[in-house]
Amino acid sequence: MNKIVIAVDGFSSCGKSTLAKQLAKTLNYIFVDSGAMYRAITLYFLENNIRFNDTVAIERALKNIQLKFEYVAETGKSDMLLNGVNVEQQIREMRISENVSPVATIEAVRTFAVAAQQQMGKEKGLVMDGRDIGTTVFPDAELKIFVTANTDVRVERRWLELQAKGEQVSKDEVKKNLLERDHIDTTRAISPLQKAADAIVLDNSNLTREQQLALALQWAKERM
Ligand code: DC
């Protein structure tokens, strides 16, 4: 069987990462959460007081950013390292979620992140989730999946995730943040979130994790 590249795109909190992780684990592929890279860049900008409209400072800052994923055997997950420091917890906080979409609209940021992502896909055998993976990062990916779920289901999932981490936010706040991000992600000038023409839509509003994995695995095997 040939190794392939699988692109998983979709809106925030609709189960993209869950599906991408399941697929990578089952196929013994590398999993890359491209959103984590935009989140780590956002964290760096916030911590170093880089204003999002200061293009000179942004270009300079990007030269000082090194992003790497580190596989953690105990959790079976890959954590995000920003300049060698594990920032996996921090990049999931609400303050990052509130700032990451504007950061992801910045051209220099996208050029930087996309180049790093394309490098990771050179050897194939990779599942990457994000917004522009099937359209911009890997337009030739053998399998492209566009994941959707209805808004209430997404809000509930995200809220439960934040609760589990002890973050006290209301469902209304979560919904507002999700809808705001949807708007920014789909309307930005560079690589907006959109379904690639050859992507398969997977609406998982009423699917269990096992059911969505079975579907995606079948599509993957047909393309290997
Ligand atoms: O998947 P996520 O919610 O962790 O992504 C965080 C933000 O990063 C999201 O608001 C949009 C942006 N993003 C992007 O623009 N392109 C990607 N390939 C992945 C994420």
Side-chain angles (χ1 to χ4, degrees):
M1 269 194 278
N2 288 323
K3 285 199 166 189
I4 63 170
V5 169
I6 304 178
V8 181
D9 288 303
F11 294 95
S12 306
S13 301
C14 63
K16 295 183 307 290
S17 287
T18 304
L19 174 65
K21 268 180 228 159
Q22 288 175 309
L23 272 173
K25 192 168 176 217
T26 313
L27 296 170
N28 206 13
Y29 276 19
I30 293 166
F31 160 67
V32 180
D33 171 2
S34 68
M37 300 168 75
Y38 291 97
R39 286 172 179 270
I41 295 168
T42 304
L43 175 65
Y44 185 93
F45 286 1
L46 292 181
E47 291 198 330
N48 291 278
N49 298 315
I50 309 288
R51 279 180 292 120
F52 301 167
N53 58 0
D54 186 344
T55 44
V56 175
I58 286 171
E59 294 278 1
R60 204 180 310 130
L62 289 171
K63 290 199 174 71
N64 294 322
I65 294 180
Q66 216 194 28
L67 300 178
K68 250 183 85 180
F69 288 96
E70 179 182 61
Y71 182 73
V72 183
E74 302 94 70
T75 58
K77 292 181 186 160
S78 288
D79 284 359
M80 185 82 249
L81 301 190
L82 169 61
N83 293 335
V85 177
N86 190 321
V87 291
E88 187 57 36
Q89 299 279 337
Q90 277 167 284
I91 61 169
R92 307 294 161 191
E93 288 170 9
M94 200 65 177
R95 70 182 177 119
I96 302 296
S97 299
E98 280 166 359
N99 286 287
V100 63
S101 285
V103 169
T105 65
I106 301 168
E107 185 169 14
V109 167
R110 299 208 72 83
T111 306
F112 174 84
V114 169
Q117 290 152 7
Q118 288 174 334
Q119 194 62 32
M120 293 173 188
K122 284 231 159 98
E123 308 291 322
K124 300 218 173 196
L126 165 127
V127 188
M128 190 177 290
D129 87 82
R131 305 291 188 291
D132 60 340
I133 311 306
T135 51
T136 303
V137 181
F138 298 122
D140 298 326
E142 286 83 357
L143 174 59
K144 300 178 186 178
I145 303 175
F146 192 86
V147 187
T148 66
N150 78 45
T151 307
D152 290 342
V153 170
R154 292 167 58 210
V155 169
E156 184 70 21
R157 287 176 185 162
R158 182 82 188 120
W159 182 79
L160 286 171
E161 232 174 70
L162 289 168
Q163 288 288 303
K165 287 184 199 150
E167 273 205 59
Q168 296 305 322
V169 280
S170 69
K171 286 189 186 174
D172 278 347
E173 280 173 279
V174 173
K175 186 169 187 174
K176 190 165 161 274
N177 174 252
L178 278 190
L179 294 180
E180 231 164 65
R181 283 206 280 157
D182 286 359
H183 179 71
I184 301 175
D185 293 348
T186 52
T187 57
R188 69 172 174 236
I190 313 161
S191 300
L193 167 65
Q194 57 184 18
K195 185 184 100 56
D198 52 350
I200 306 174
V201 176
L202 175 60
D203 182 339
N204 65 18
S205 308
N206 299 304
L207 293 180
T208 64
R209 289 178 178 206
E210 293 72 27
Q211 287 169 327
Q212 75 163 358
L213 175 62
L215 266 176
L217 268 181
Q218 184 193 322
W219 298 330
K221 291 200 168 135
E222 285 163 7
R223 287 160 176 81
M224 283 174 171

